[in-house]
Amino acid sequence: MVDVLITSGPWLIGTAAVFGFLMAWGIGANDVANAMGTSVGANAITIKQAIIIAMIFEFSGAYLAGGEVTSTIRNGIIDPAYFVDVPELLVYGMIASLLAAGIWLVAASALGWPVSTTHSIVGAIIGFAAVGVGPESVAWSKVTGIVGSWIITPAISGFIAFCIFQSVQKLIFNTDDPLANAKRYVPFYMAFAGFVMSLVTITKGLKHVGLKVSTDEAYMLAIVIALLVGITGKIAISRLKLSTSQTKQTNFNNVEKVFAVLMLVTACCMAFAHGSNDVANAIGPLAAVVSVVHSGGVITAKSPLIWWILPLGGVGIVLGLAIFGKRVMQTIGKNITHLTPSRGFAAELAAASTVVIASGTGLPISTTQTLVGAVLGVGVARGIAAINIGVVRNIVVSWVVTLPAGAGLSILFFFTIKGVFN
């Protein structure tokens, strides 16, 4: 059957590229909207600014740190040994998975559901492998790890967000002079944000660009960047135009203005980290298809990236956010709980810290679930009444539905594609 790969090779690659673009578009509409939703919801930036920040930082994250080489089969979910004699099935399956996950993400984004792009593609890959090739080709232990992460990830980030927000209350809001304390402590929060964000970028990203950094060097670099961010933040805050009236409300508004500067920093970093991490969901399966077709059916553990694949993913992500990202931003930023810059900052920093912890321990995590957990943590810090339980319930249901939805669609498309090309 390998002759299918030779005779229909260009068609297979073209189809995979179109569906890979759809998947990247869905990631932009759903996942990037999550990363930006807290900043927009807290009114630290406008939707227009969010799109510009995402364009620059998501694209550079995807392009600079998105991977010279991407694992052919994400997270070892399926065993390539089962495809050695039938490489065309892997090609059909990856194309079906991209289409299935892409359609699910676009549908979820239309409904304003923040779902996990990682879990969408993983569900799709499990679906076609289990039904099209055999249940034994799926590493089921990995699947249980993913299901476990639905609970663990939001819990960790919620706890961190709760702690950060409580510290902001104690050090700044519940003091006699919140503004003076904000000016004093916010640069330290900025430095901490700079440290966490640069650490996630250095440990996750730079190895893709071919820079090998030891753990000690990574920490040293992150500390230097943290100091620079803190100093820059201090200068930026000293230049803010703040209202001089002494009423309590004005004082609080001034403090939130100081935090808005900080949210700008976390939004940029969040976008970069997200671009470097999640673009692989769209381009991994695409790279696998290109690699198998080009090699005439040889399946390798890693697929080298052809020059056009990363830009395709980067452009798809940015367009998805710009055209279709509003609804998910609304859910994360406005509908779960009322966010201000100080609360939004606590949520974003907690989510980023969780990503760092998880990538250090190899937990399969979803940026979406960390962010939702963090926003919930901030809401809980203000009392359970501050949370819109109905919205949270819908979000949790959409998470649970994602794996089976991706799997069901991908089985359907797998047999359709197989019928067309055979």
Side-chain angles (χ1 to χ4, degrees), residues 235-249:
I235 296 165
I237 291 168
S238 66
R239 294 189 173 171
L240 278 180
K241 290 186 170 50
L242 299 171
S243 165
T244 47
S245 118
Q246 287 305 309
T247 65
K248 197 169 183 188
Q249 192 50 50

Side-chain angles (χ1 to χ4, degrees), residues 387-401:
I387 294 174
N388 185 335
I389 299 294
V391 172
V392 176
R393 190 190 53 232
N394 289 351
I395 290 175
V396 173
V397 169
S398 73
W399 287 355
V400 176
V401 175

Side-chain angles (χ1 to χ4, degrees), residues 35-112:
M36 291 288 144
T38 36
S39 308
V40 174
N43 298 327
I45 53 176
T46 62
I47 287 200
K48 212 177 194 169
Q49 288 167 328
I51 291 167
I52 293 167
I53 289 175
M55 276 174 149
I56 298 166
F57 287 92
E58 283 279 341
F59 192 82
S60 41
Y63 198 73
L64 295 173
E68 275 296 294
V69 172
T70 178
S71 296
T72 308
I73 296 158
R74 292 276 290 154
N75 306 339
I77 293 292
I78 52 178
D79 182 351
Y82 287 90
F83 295 92
V84 173
D85 299 329
V86 280
E88 69 280 3
L89 291 188
L90 181 67
V91 171
Y92 302 156
M94 288 300 178
I95 295 175
S97 299
L98 284 171
L99 179 58
I103 287 179
W104 170 246
L105 286 176
V106 171
S109 306
L111 293 165

